[in-house]
Amino acid sequence: SVPVSSVIRIDGAPTVFVAHKGGRIEERAVEIGMANEDMIRVAANLAPGERVLVAPPLEQATINLHDKPFPGTDAEPPPPARDHPQPRLAAPPTPSAIVDRPARLHAHRTQTPSPYAHPRPVGATHRAAELLAPVRGKTRRELRRALESDKSFVYLERFLDPEVADRVEELKLHDEFPGAFDFDSEPRRVYPLDELSVHVVGFATIDGEGVEGIELEYNEALKGDPKVYLVLRDGHADGTRKLISDARKKPSDVVLSIDVVLQHIVERELDRAVREHRPEGASAVLLDPATGEVLALANRPNVDANGFGNAPSEAQRNRAVTDRYEPGSTFKAVTMAAAFELGKVRTNQRIFCERGVYNTGSRIIRDISPQGSLTPGQILMKSSNIGMTKIVLGMTPHELHD
């Protein structure tokens, strides 16, 4: 007799998961018989050392399994028992790649070894800590604390460099401590360009969740949907899982309008300006004037994307997007371009700039230095507020808005 929740239907057949003595797990079709609300008799043909994995009840219901009597009996099928829930695991998807317009990688995933331990089978924690400490750069006390944990599973380190993983493997811990140590292959988000384009790309957490930049904005597209597994586990912490729902939406790559060559040039020039003028912060944005596409975007201070989460907030901030600036005199060029396009001014036209003070009737306009008559080009060169005001007053609000 086993708990009803241990039996599921796979391809229409009542099935249990059987753990072999050596740890191997297999699905096994069974004949089912008498049952009550909680227990059911199954004919699983168990060999010595084999056992049926038990599924603890969770909050999701499955179908009833009772459809015929136990073989060799004349008993009627038992009445339908209540639905028994089965544990399900939503396996998070791994984010896809972020590339620029020439398809150069800015972010992608790679499989990285993460050593783990089952503390209870370790036994000689002092010996294990003594072997691991020189390789991992941790103290023996830290390692013993992890190895003496009450948990059944602990990571000793996440995302080891391959060279370090090789050194750990050379210790042959699995020979000295059978069943206690192994490696988990985990997907890790990698940013091969380091600091370049970091404020555009952003970064993702250790679990692949986007928290800044494109990683955050397109988190759902990059990740797709999770896969759902049915998970069975017994009191010995042994278990297995079976895919019951594949991802409906696959992860997608994201292609940026950024060009890494232009990005490099913009960042190089921004660094030069920072060295010369020593500002607290700086930003640069390069646009395609025909389409408005962002070809490059950079900020200072900067940060390596592979260590983004540990950087100070000032370095993480995408100033070019989050900080607000009044356009000020930089917008005079836009206004002047509109005036020329509409025929409101001519290149050789002279406009009197009132010697530095001009009363429009509703407010007083001033120039930094008094000016007389200036051409449109001179108005831009001198950044004359009065000259631009007189040009704007010759345009309708609708014309200026367009």
Side-chain angles (χ1 to χ4, degrees):
S1 293
V2 297
V4 172
S5 58
S6 300
V7 187
I8 63 170
R9 282 193 183 277
I10 296 178
D11 297 329
T15 304
V16 296
F17 290 87
V18 175
H20 294 257
K21 188 174 182 180
R24 182 171 59 87
I25 307 296
E26 72 168 354
E27 301 167 9
R28 186 172 298 176
V30 295
E31 298 286 346
I32 58 176
M34 299 300 296
N36 56 33
E37 264 190 8
D38 299 312
M39 302 296 289
I40 184 171
R41 291 177 65 193
V42 298
N45 298 319
L46 295 178
E50 293 181 342
R51 64 183 184 278
V52 175
L53 292 177
V54 176
L58 293 181
E59 293 181 349
Q60 295 181 342
T62 61
I63 59 172
N64 292 314
L65 301 167
H66 315 296
D67 56 1
K68 56 184 177 180
F70 191 77
T73 73
D74 297 324
E76 293 295 320
R82 68 186 181 191
D83 284 350
H84 281 264
Q86 299 286 351
R88 300 186 182 200
L89 168 69
T94 305
S96 200
I98 298 175
V99 300
D100 68 0
R101 57 198 312 145
R104 299 182 184 94
L105 275 174
H106 286 243
H108 68 104
R109 67 178 183 266
T110 185
Q111 293 299 122
T112 310
S114 295
Y116 66 85
H118 297 297
R120 278 174 288 184
V122 173
T125 57
H126 288 268
R127 168 65 176 162
E130 183 180 355
L131 291 171
L132 282 167
V135 178
R136 287 305 315 117
K138 290 186 176 182
T139 67
R140 296 174 185 178
R141 177 178 296 181
E142 288 175 318
L143 289 166
R144 283 202 307 270
R145 188 182 302 120
L147 296 174
E148 292 170 359
S149 167
D150 291 333
K151 299 178 181 178
S152 61
F153 175 96
V154 292
Y155 276 115
L156 301 177
E157 190 75 41
R158 302 290 296 276
F159 308 127
L160 280 186
D161 291 333
E163 306 79 37
V164 179
D166 289 342
R167 292 170 60 195
V168 174
E169 184 68 30
E170 288 170 1
L171 296 175
K172 299 188 182 300
L173 296 172
H174 45 78
D175 291 341
E176 189 165 346
F177 306 94
F181 293 97
D182 208 342
F183 284 92
D184 189 13
S185 181
E186 293 191 280
R188 182 184 184 183
R189 206 69 172 139
V190 176
Y191 303 93
L193 300 181
D194 299 328
E195 296 182 356
L196 200 70
S197 71
V198 61
H199 291 106
V200 176
V201 175
F203 86 110
T205 66
I206 194 172
D207 296 314
E209 287 291 332
V211 292
E212 289 288 350
I214 293 296
E215 292 276 27
L216 172 61
E217 182 67 21
Y218 292 96
N219 186 52
E220 296 304 318
L222 285 163
K223 291 179 60 177
D225 290 334
K227 296 179 179 179
V228 180
Y229 293 88
L230 176 69
V231 180
L232 295 176
R233 206 172 284 276
D234 68 5
H236 297 277
D238 294 323
T240 189
R241 68 182 187 176
K242 180 179 178 62
L243 181 67
I244 58 175
S245 177
D246 203 353
R248 289 171 294 179
K249 184 175 67 175
K250 303 296 184 182
S252 301
D253 291 344
V254 171
V255 181
L256 306 174
S257 61
I258 295 292
D259 184 305
V260 72
V261 175
L262 297 176
Q263 181 73 29
H264 171 74
I265 294 170
V266 166
E267 295 209 20
R268 182 191 65 195
E269 295 304 313
L270 188 61
D271 284 334
R272 182 178 299 171
V274 168
R275 287 194 301 271
E276 181 178 349
H277 300 287
R278 300 182 182 278
E280 292 184 4
S283 298
V285 182
L286 179 64
L287 303 178
D288 183 335
T291 65
E293 288 181 304
V294 178
L295 302 177
L297 182 151
N299 298 281
R300 294 297 182 268
N302 206 11
V303 60
D304 187 334
N306 293 293
F308 199 110
N310 299 321
S313 58
E314 283 298 301
Q316 293 182 1
R317 193 166 89 242
N318 187 353
R319 297 166 181 267
V321 174
T322 62
D323 292 11
R324 296 181 178 182
Y325 304 93
E326 291 186 5
S329 293
T330 60
F331 207 70
K332 287 176 180 173
V334 177
T335 306
M336 186 69 77
F340 273 112
E341 188 174 311
L342 294 169
K344 301 296 182 179
V345 293
R346 301 181 306 278
T347 55
N348 60 351
Q349 181 179 345
R350 303 192 72 82
I351 299 170
F352 183 54
C353 294
E354 305 292 340
R355 304 293 179 190
V357 180
Y358 178 49
N359 188 345
T360 65
S362 60
R363 61 182 300 179
I364 302 296
I365 306 298
R366 303 180 186 275
D367 279 339
I368 293 178
S369 59
Q371 303 294 333
S373 293
L374 301 175
T375 65
Q378 291 171 328
I379 287 172
L380 284 179
M381 184 176 66
K382 301 289 186 179
S383 193
S384 170
N385 298 325
I386 294 171
M388 287 305 306
T389 299
K390 286 191 171 184
I391 292 173
V392 168
L393 289 175
M395 302 166 66
T396 67
H398 179 73
E399 290 173 330
L400 185 60
H401 182 269
D402 286 346

